[in-house]
Amino acid sequence: MAGITRSARTRAALTALASRQHGVVSREQMRRLGFSDGRIDDWSREGRLRRVFRGAYAVEPTAVTEQGRVLAAALACGPQAVVSHRSAAFLLGIGERSPRVIDLIMPGRRGREIDGIRIHDVPYPKASELVRAHGIVCTNVARTIVDLAGVNGEDQLRGTVERAATQRVLDLAAIDAVLAGGPRRRGAPCLRRVIDEWRPV
């Protein structure tokens, strides 16, 4: 009876955790709840878990939203992974669509390769450059726009800035601070041209 009770409590804890995380959990989180690797693999084979990325699972029968897929990518890469670039733009509501490949930043190194995840080789964000969107840690609007300047063309970048302005989250001073506060960033001249169009005359 005690064993059944512990098992039930473990399942309940897993369900509660998944409900707070868009229906997804990491293997490491399951281990901390008391799941063995063998039990995790068994549940995956039985269909109780569905792998979203290597090391991150959807807890069935929960349907995984686009936000859940982004969070699963971050969980797969560890607690210091930060959602960035197009994926951050999606979470913040200034992107065109949810990207197929999830963009992340890892501290100090590129991190392990996982299919469907792109680790960007850019400076790790300062605490002031991070926010939570849909409960997921990601770069803030200013840092996201600066990062996007390094991977998007001028027309795409202009569209992102326009969406930020429309939603009244465009902060030119914050963008200037990100550009000034680190090494020279790819796409910075293009970004300055774009944001100069929004400066008061």
mmCIF file of all heavy atoms in Angstrom, residues 8-18 20 33:
data_model
loop_
_atom_site.group_PDB
_atom_site.id
_atom_site.type_symbol
_atom_site.label_atom_id
_atom_site.label_comp_id
_atom_site.label_asym_id
_atom_site.label_seq_id
_atom_site.Cartn_x
_atom_site.Cartn_y
_atom_site.Cartn_z
ATOM 1 N N ALA A 8 1.452 7.048 -6.530
ATOM 2 C CA ALA A 8 0.365 7.987 -6.825
ATOM 3 C C ALA A 8 0.798 9.423 -6.571
ATOM 4 O O ALA A 8 0.467 10.333 -7.339
ATOM 5 C CB ALA A 8 -0.861 7.645 -5.981
ATOM 6 N N ARG A 9 1.555 9.623 -5.488
ATOM 7 C CA ARG A 9 2.032 10.969 -5.186
ATOM 8 C C ARG A 9 3.010 11.454 -6.253
ATOM 9 O O ARG A 9 2.988 12.630 -6.632
ATOM 10 C CB ARG A 9 2.701 10.978 -3.819
ATOM 11 C CG ARG A 9 1.735 10.869 -2.650
ATOM 12 C CD ARG A 9 2.479 10.770 -1.334
ATOM 13 N NE ARG A 9 1.555 10.688 -0.205
ATOM 14 C CZ ARG A 9 1.920 10.424 1.037
ATOM 15 N NH1 ARG A 9 3.212 10.197 1.312
ATOM 16 N NH2 ARG A 9 1.030 10.373 2.003
ATOM 17 N N THR A 10 3.846 10.544 -6.729
ATOM 18 C CA THR A 10 4.803 10.914 -7.776
ATOM 19 C C THR A 10 4.078 11.311 -9.045
ATOM 20 O O THR A 10 4.414 12.310 -9.685
ATOM 21 C CB THR A 10 5.767 9.738 -8.053
ATOM 22 O OG1 THR A 10 6.453 9.404 -6.854
ATOM 23 C CG2 THR A 10 6.782 10.116 -9.120
ATOM 24 N N ARG A 11 3.072 10.536 -9.421
ATOM 25 C CA ARG A 11 2.294 10.870 -10.622
ATOM 26 C C ARG A 11 1.580 12.200 -10.460
ATOM 27 O O ARG A 11 1.522 13.004 -11.388
ATOM 28 C CB ARG A 11 1.289 9.761 -10.926
ATOM 29 C CG ARG A 11 1.901 8.463 -11.432
ATOM 30 C CD ARG A 11 0.847 7.576 -12.069
ATOM 31 N NE ARG A 11 -0.228 7.244 -11.146
ATOM 32 C CZ ARG A 11 -0.235 6.181 -10.343
ATOM 33 N NH1 ARG A 11 0.809 5.359 -10.339
ATOM 34 N NH2 ARG A 11 -1.259 5.940 -9.544
ATOM 35 N N ALA A 12 1.020 12.436 -9.268
ATOM 36 C CA ALA A 12 0.311 13.695 -9.017
ATOM 37 C C ALA A 12 1.270 14.879 -9.095
ATOM 38 O O ALA A 12 0.922 15.939 -9.638
ATOM 39 C CB ALA A 12 -0.369 13.654 -7.649
ATOM 40 N N ALA A 13 2.479 14.696 -8.549
ATOM 41 C CA ALA A 13 3.468 15.773 -8.611
ATOM 42 C C ALA A 13 3.871 16.062 -10.050
ATOM 43 O O ALA A 13 4.051 17.223 -10.441
ATOM 44 C CB ALA A 13 4.701 15.392 -7.786
ATOM 45 N N LEU A 14 3.995 15.010 -10.858
ATOM 46 C CA LEU A 14 4.337 15.194 -12.268
ATOM 47 C C LEU A 14 3.230 15.942 -13.009
ATOM 48 O O LEU A 14 3.496 16.876 -13.770
ATOM 49 C CB LEU A 14 4.576 13.839 -12.926
ATOM 50 C CG LEU A 14 4.858 13.870 -14.432
ATOM 51 C CD1 LEU A 14 6.152 14.609 -14.722
ATOM 52 C CD2 LEU A 14 4.909 12.447 -15.001
ATOM 53 N N THR A 15 1.984 15.548 -12.748
ATOM 54 C CA THR A 15 0.851 16.214 -13.398
ATOM 55 C C THR A 15 0.789 17.688 -13.009
ATOM 56 O O THR A 15 0.550 18.557 -13.857
ATOM 57 C CB THR A 15 -0.463 15.511 -13.010
ATOM 58 O OG1 THR A 15 -0.417 14.145 -13.447
ATOM 59 C CG2 THR A 15 -1.654 16.208 -13.649
ATOM 60 N N ALA A 16 1.031 17.980 -11.734
ATOM 61 C CA ALA A 16 0.992 19.366 -11.267
ATOM 62 C C ALA A 16 2.102 20.184 -11.914
ATOM 63 O O ALA A 16 1.884 21.335 -12.333
ATOM 64 C CB ALA A 16 1.127 19.410 -9.747
ATOM 65 N N LEU A 17 3.297 19.599 -12.001
ATOM 66 C CA LEU A 17 4.415 20.311 -12.629
ATOM 67 C C LEU A 17 4.119 20.588 -14.093
ATOM 68 O O LEU A 17 4.305 21.709 -14.584
ATOM 69 C CB LEU A 17 5.696 19.488 -12.495
ATOM 70 C CG LEU A 17 6.947 20.056 -13.178
ATOM 71 C CD1 LEU A 17 7.323 21.414 -12.599
ATOM 72 C CD2 LEU A 17 8.115 19.074 -13.067
ATOM 73 N N ALA A 18 3.650 19.579 -14.814
ATOM 74 C CA ALA A 18 3.344 19.757 -16.232
ATOM 75 C C ALA A 18 2.274 20.824 -16.448
ATOM 76 O O ALA A 18 2.334 21.602 -17.402
ATOM 77 C CB ALA A 18 2.906 18.431 -16.845
ATOM 78 N N ARG A 20 1.844 23.458 -14.848
ATOM 79 C CA ARG A 20 2.436 24.794 -14.699
ATOM 80 C C ARG A 20 3.389 25.123 -15.841
ATOM 81 O O ARG A 20 3.849 26.262 -15.936
ATOM 82 C CB ARG A 20 3.201 24.889 -13.366
ATOM 83 C CG ARG A 20 2.342 24.710 -12.132
ATOM 84 C CD ARG A 20 3.100 25.114 -10.871
ATOM 85 N NE ARG A 20 4.309 24.318 -10.642
ATOM 86 C CZ ARG A 20 4.341 23.194 -9.945
ATOM 87 N NH1 ARG A 20 3.231 22.698 -9.423
ATOM 88 N NH2 ARG A 20 5.492 22.551 -9.755
ATOM 89 N N LEU A 33 11.704 14.305 -9.172
ATOM 90 C CA LEU A 33 10.425 13.894 -8.590
ATOM 91 C C LEU A 33 10.456 12.438 -8.121
ATOM 92 O O LEU A 33 9.510 11.983 -7.480
ATOM 93 C CB LEU A 33 9.295 14.079 -9.601
ATOM 94 C CG LEU A 33 8.901 15.523 -9.936
ATOM 95 C CD1 LEU A 33 7.843 15.550 -11.026
ATOM 96 C CD2 LEU A 33 8.411 16.264 -8.697
#
